[in-house]
Each structure stands twice: as structure tokens, then as C-alpha cells.
Amino acid sequence: MSTNDLIKKITAEMEQKYGDNKTFIQTHDLKHENNTRSIQTNSTKYIGVFENVEDAIIAAKKSQEQLMELSMKKRNEIIAAMRKTSLENAEKLAIMAHEETGFGRIEDKTIKNILAAEKTPGTEDLHASTFTGDDGMTLVELAPFGVIGSITPSTNPSSTIINNGISMVAAGNSVVFNPHPSAKKVTCESISLLNKAIHDVGGPSELLTAPLNPTLESSKVIMTHEDVRILVVTGGEAVVGVAMKSGKKVIAAGPGNPPVIVDDTANIKKAANDIVRGASFDNNILCTAEKEAFVLNSVFTELRNEMVKNGAYELKRHEIEIVANEVLAKNSEGKTIYNKNYVGKSALEILKACGISAPQDCKLIIAEVTENHPFITVEMLMPVLGIVRVYTVDEAIEKAVIAENGNLHTAVMHSESVSNLTKAARALKTSIFVKNAPSFAGLGIEGEGFTTLTIATPTGEGLTSAKSFSRIRRCTLSGGFRIV
Ligand code: NAD
């Protein structure tokens, strides 16, 4: 069964199990009354998790040295075991992530875990190359860095550990993670499960490590420790800025604010359905999810009506201000930001808090606003999608470029015009550009290609995989070893 078929099967099973948003919210509320769906974990049982971050680094270093003693065949067995345990625990880790962070939807988190387990490339990503000629032969191979320091987000906690773990170990590295403090339990559980799987097939038992209580201080220790060779940072602007000042090589997967453009050649029914599915997936906390739309006037009404048919609730004019007042806040510098209390919450939860009633199958809140509205300019990380009416494709592209804010992260376009699609892709310059599909197609769900949960935007590696976490080494034998 292909990954996409598997994901479709699991989605159907999940929907049957948890139902629509309404059933999901009821289940979520129930957990306070009877804890039947809670997963209990004992911190002392985590494998690879240490009270002291220094110990985590020492253990990762030792395990990486042991990994270097093993064959590539054994490394492949290790990767296979990591995939297997991730698949077996995909739903359990999704439930834990949801309970701990309060973000997103269990069924979508399960899909993200499965996606990371199945579609993260392994050692096959490491291609050696050779040069031959009159002067002999030169071999180029991809080697590990050693210990990698990885700072992980609260929005995709277990799927990032699965994805980073497979990619980094496939390249021969070990990893010391600094989990987001608000997702530390599910992160430590993911690390522990993966370490156990590695150990059970004869690998080192602490290839993935973390401090039990991650803090800014433990992050600083990782960022400055001499045994940590490179930093991989997945998160918002602040952590990327701090890592960049560390003096180490940094692979930074920063924030996004992905625009979606719909022009007058698009298949509007499909575009509406795709946008609702993409923007509501895991309640919009994926950095790749559609966060604002630019729609041509001639198809605006049809698209909006189709979106409503597919589970969007359109805010009435007076409701826009009510919702904006609730879900937005100001930071200490007076800048408009999202209200943390609503990150990853469902559309129904947000509307309920605003005193607005909506159909129980509502997945996404939409609102017609102008391009300067915070629903367009702020990375909202919740299912609230501002839509701007535009009059030409050029206007749409120009406004989408501004909204994307130079993140060079992700953009989506619905159009049947190759020249419009090309023009937008060239102007937006994003690491991921999705044509005529939900944003998640760019990560390999209903789209071709491998997956990652660490899209290195500012530093330019794009969708990271084992080769991103490798050093390029060259060996030259002059005057020999050619066979012709
Ligand atoms: P966040 O920036 O709050 O946290 C990410 C990690 O950085 C956490 O481990 C956190 O503890 C740490 N951190 C935050 N500030 C720090 C500082 N000053 N010093 C050291 N460490 C610090 O992000 P989040 O809310 O968990 O995740 C959402 C953000 O991450 C969004 O902006 C989203 O776009 C981005 N993201 C990007 C990608 C990508 O692949 N490009 C993937 C996931 C999330």
C-alpha cells in the first residue's frame, strides 16, 4: 500500500473513531471528567532523557561513536525499526501531543506521525559520487557531523522527533534535542520509544537524547557546547535569531505565512475544497498551511460559497472585529500577534469563545478583509483565514509576496494557467510552491516526494533529509584506480 493510500485509510479510520469536530471536542472535554484516553508516562523510564543536559550530550556523543562502528546494513535495520515503532505508536503519540499542548486534532497528528515514519528518507538519500580521468579517481562521500543539537517546536512535537531522528541517524549522527517546554512529555516519550527500537535491533541505546526539563538555559548549553557540531532549529523568528548568533553552523527552519492565490482559470470547486482541507488540517498549526488567500473578484463569490459548502464559516462584517479582538493580542513592543490561547484550537472553539454559533461541521473561519488586516499579515496558527479580493493576477501576486513577508517558506496557487502559475512561483520564491492541491501536498500528503517537518527556509536547505545533515568529504587517488 502506498503512503498516500495508507494515510487515506487511516484518515477514514480516524474519522470513524473520532467523528467530526463536534465529536472531537466532546471527547477532548471528556478527558477532564474521566481520563480514559490519557496516556500515563513515567519520566524515570524515558530512554535517552537526562536530568542534566550535559549528560544528554555526553550520552549522544558516545552513542554516535558506537554507531560509527556498525555496518550500513545495521544502520538500515535501525532506520527500519524507527519507522516501525513510529507507526505502531503514531496514534498514541498524537493523543499525548494533543493532551499536552492542547493544539490541533488527534487524527491529523496521527497522519503527521505516519507521514514522518513512512516518507522521511533513510540512508538511500546519501549518494556517493566519483570523478575519473587521466589523473585517476576521486570519491565524494557524505559523512556525519557527529552530535547534532536540534531545537523542536510545540506544533509538531512527535512528528518532528520521528522525522529529525530518522534523517539525522540515517546520516550517521546522534541528536540532542531541546524540546519545546510545553511539549516535553510527548517529545521525551517519542525519543524513548525510538531509542528502545534502535537498541532492540542491536544499535546504541542513546542516539537520541534530551534534557528532562528543557529550558532556555539548556538550549544555550546545547548551542554553545563544543561536542555539538551543528544546530538544527525548527521554530519561530526568536529561536532562529538566537541560533544564528551561536557561531555554529545552523540549519534553520523558520516561520511561514503561506498565501494561497486563486485566479479566474481555476477549478473553483476543487480549489475551495482544497483550501478548506489545507487550512483546517491540524487546526492550521502546520507552518505550511494556507494562512491567507488572494482571490480574483470574478470568482470570489463562487469560491466563498463553495468554501462554506465544504465546512467554512464566513464571518459577517460585524463579527470580524469580535473575532479579531479575541484571537489577536499585542506583544511588549506593541506589535500585533496571535493570542496564544487560541493557537491550534478548532474553528468551533474559537467561534464559541466569541459567542458566534456555526454549523457543527465547521472546520475553518473565513473573513473578507483588506491586505493590511492582521488576519493577512500575522502568522495566525489557527483556523482563521483572511481573504482579500483582488482584480488582476498581478495584484494577487504582488499582495501575496508582501503577505509572505520574505519568509520564502510556502505558497499555494489554484490556476489552470501555466503562465500565471509560473509568474507566481517566480515572484514568491518560496521553498515549497503547491499547484492545485491543499498545502499539505507539498509535504507528501496527496503529493509526490519525500517529507520533512523541518523546512529550512532562511538557510536555504529547503525540505531537509539525511543529506542535509551530512558533511561532504572527498578522497583522491591520483594516477590510479580507473578501469578504462
Ligand atoms: P517557538 O519558536 O515558540 O519554539 C520553537 C522552539 O524554540 C522551542 O523548542 C522553544 O523552546 C525554542 N525557543 C523559543 N524561543 C527561544 C529562544 N529565545 N532561545 C532559545 N530557544 C527558544 O515555536 P512554536 O510555537 O513551538 O512553533 C511554531 C513556529 O515554528 C511557527 O512560527 C512555525 O511557522 C514555525 N515552524 C517552522 C517549521 C519549518 O519547518 N520551517 C516547522 C514547524 C514550525
Side-chain angles (χ1 to χ4, degrees):
M1 194 182 281
S2 75
T3 302
N4 283 343
D5 288 344
L6 182 70
I7 287 167
K8 276 185 197 149
K9 181 173 165 275
I10 283 173
T11 309
E13 282 170 12
M14 290 288 145
E15 273 171 13
Q16 213 172 17
K17 209 162 174 182
Y18 300 119
D20 56 16
N21 269 345
K22 179 177 165 233
T23 326
F24 173 65
I25 288 165
Q26 285 170 344
T27 318
H28 178 61
D29 289 345
L30 269 179
K31 87 175 198 293
H32 302 293
E33 294 155 24
N34 94 38
N35 227 4
T36 50
R37 295 178 66 232
S38 292
I39 307 274
Q40 300 300 331
T41 52
N42 175 356
S43 67
T44 57
K45 288 186 185 159
Y46 296 135
I47 306 167
V49 176
F50 296 81
E51 294 280 351
N52 183 333
V53 64
E54 301 267 357
D55 293 339
I57 298 169
I58 292 167
K61 187 174 183 215
K62 196 168 142 214
S63 281
Q64 197 272 334
E65 285 163 3
Q66 289 165 358
L67 180 66
M68 286 299 90
E69 300 300 317
L70 302 177
S71 64
M72 283 306 276
K73 182 167 176 274
K74 180 56 74 185
R75 205 188 293 175
N76 286 333
E77 283 171 29
I78 287 171
I79 299 300
M82 292 171 82
R83 293 190 200 282
K84 184 165 178 280
T85 200
S86 301
L87 287 173
E88 286 166 358
N89 291 285
E91 187 185 4
K92 167 185 146 171
L93 293 173
I95 293 169
M96 284 186 73
H98 178 261
E99 290 200 349
E100 189 176 4
T101 64
F103 297 166
R105 298 156 54 93
I106 292 171
E107 55 270 49
D108 295 342
K109 290 190 175 301
T110 306
I111 290 171
K112 291 196 294 188
N113 290 339
I114 292 169
L115 181 73
E118 291 255 319
K119 277 200 159 184
T120 302
T123 56
E124 73 282 3
D125 197 48
L126 308 171
H127 298 288
S129 55
T130 50
F131 299 86
T132 65
D134 292 342
D135 288 330
M137 194 193 80
T138 288
L139 169 68
V140 178
E141 285 191 297
L142 301 187
F145 280 96
V147 180
I148 296 180
S150 175
I151 315 289
T152 56
S154 55
T155 46
N156 318 312
S158 51
S159 46
T160 304
I161 299 298
I162 296 167
N163 167 258
N164 278 198
I166 291 174
S167 296
M168 294 172 185
V169 170
N173 303 287
S174 63
V175 198
V176 53
F177 289 102
N178 203 56
H180 194 293
S182 65
K184 63 184 176 187
K185 276 194 260 171
V186 63
T187 307
C188 292
E189 180 69 8
S190 308
I191 289 171
S192 189
L193 286 166
L194 289 164
N195 279 330
K196 180 171 185 320
I198 295 168
H199 178 260
D200 287 351
V201 293
S205 53
E206 288 164 344
L207 276 175
L208 311 179
T209 69
L212 182 61
N213 287 306
T215 56
L216 289 183
E217 195 46 47
S218 61
S219 164
K220 199 169 160 192
V221 172
I222 293 170
M223 287 191 187
T224 52
H225 199 285
E226 62 176 354
D227 287 334
V228 175
R229 296 292 314 282
I230 68 164
L231 300 174
V232 179
V233 174
T234 309
E237 221 171 300
V239 67
V240 170
V242 171
M244 293 289 203
K245 292 194 191 103
S246 68
K248 291 191 192 292
K249 175 184 167 76
V250 178
I251 295 179
N257 193 33
V260 50
I261 297 173
V262 184
D263 79 7
D264 50 359
T265 68
N267 174 340
I268 299 301
K269 276 193 169 51
K270 179 173 171 6
N273 184 257
D274 285 352
I275 296 169
V276 172
R277 289 197 303 139
S280 63
F281 185 83
D282 212 13
N283 291 339
N284 200 272
I285 53 171
L286 267 180
C287 53
T288 47
E290 295 86 344
K291 298 235 168 11
E292 64 278 341
F294 298 89
V295 179
L296 254 72
N297 181 49
S298 54
V299 293
F300 192 97
T301 306
E302 190 189 349
L303 183 90
R304 185 183 56 194
N305 293 345
E306 285 296 325
M307 287 180 80
V308 170
K309 274 190 213 162
N310 283 284
Y313 175 84
E314 192 196 8
L315 295 177
K316 297 175 187 72
R317 200 160 284 273
H318 73 280
E319 291 171 343
I320 295 177
E321 205 182 328
I322 297 172
V323 174
N325 285 341
E326 190 69 30
V327 301
L328 295 166
K330 295 266 184 212
N331 70 7
S332 53
E333 290 142 23
K335 191 178 157 201
T336 302
I337 54 167
Y338 53 70
N339 178 344
K340 279 188 182 150
N341 296 334
Y342 293 100
V343 168
K345 294 289 180 278
S346 72
L348 281 177
E349 284 171 293
I350 294 169
L351 289 171
K352 192 175 167 199
C354 297
I356 298 169
S357 56
Q360 289 300 305
D361 63 352
C362 167
K363 296 197 269 269
L364 179 69
I365 300 167
I366 57 174
E368 184 180 349
V369 292
T370 60
E371 65 270 24
N372 298 321
H373 193 279
F375 288 174
I376 305 299
T377 57
V378 175
E379 184 192 25
M380 296 289 289
L381 297 170
M382 62 186 79
V384 177
L385 186 85
I387 309 183
V388 178
R389 190 186 292 262
V390 291
Y391 293 86
T392 64
V393 171
D394 287 342
E395 183 191 356
I397 294 172
E398 199 180 306
K399 289 182 173 168
V401 169
I402 294 168
E404 211 279 323
N405 196 26
N407 295 315
L408 306 183
H409 198 297
T410 299
V412 182
M413 184 165 183
H414 294 270
S415 170
E416 294 294 325
S417 160
V418 173
S419 57
N420 287 349
L421 288 164
T422 307
K423 202 192 281 186
R426 289 175 67 94
L428 280 151
K429 300 184 179 69
T430 45
S431 303
I432 298 176
F433 187 76
V434 176
K435 299 172 177 174
N436 299 325
S439 51
F440 49 62
L443 293 182
I445 305 176
E446 296 178 27
E448 289 300 327
F450 69 90
T451 202
T452 187
L453 273 300
T454 293
I455 303 143
T457 41
T459 49
E461 291 80 4
L463 283 85
T464 55
S465 59
K467 64 174 170 291
S468 320
F469 308 117
S470 304
R471 291 174 60 218
I472 300 172
R473 295 179 59 195
R474 166 187 277 224
C475 175
T476 298
L477 183 64
S478 182
F481 222 75
R482 273 193 97 194
I483 56 170
V484 289

